[in-house]
Amino acid sequence: MKNYLKNWDLMRILRLIIGIIVIGQGFSAGQWTIVGLGALFTLLPLFNASMCSIGACSVPNKKNRKFKAEEVTYEEVK
């Protein structure tokens, strides 16, 4: 349990709290679709599932760029 809680950050805790609030609001309003969405939002931080965890948020590294630095010459305009 200690290792499980070690990798929690502020956004993960915030997503869990928002999911629990959405479930509570869904139950109080009798909207079962909202309860289902709240359950989804609660399960995502519990399983640490997001698009960024699979690398969808990262920018690809392009090491094989062929970039030539050209010398720029300027003319003085009078």
Side-chain angles (χ1 to χ4, degrees), residues 52-63:
C52 292
S53 66
I54 60 171
C57 297
S58 64
V59 178
N61 234 352
K62 294 189 178 187
K63 293 182 180 180

Side-chain angles (χ1 to χ4, degrees), residues 4-19:
Y4 180 71
L5 295 175
K6 185 171 70 171
N7 294 328
W8 283 66
D9 57 351
L10 179 65
M11 282 305 296
R12 194 169 170 187
I13 294 169
L14 187 63
R15 286 187 300 176
L16 179 67
I17 292 170
I18 289 172

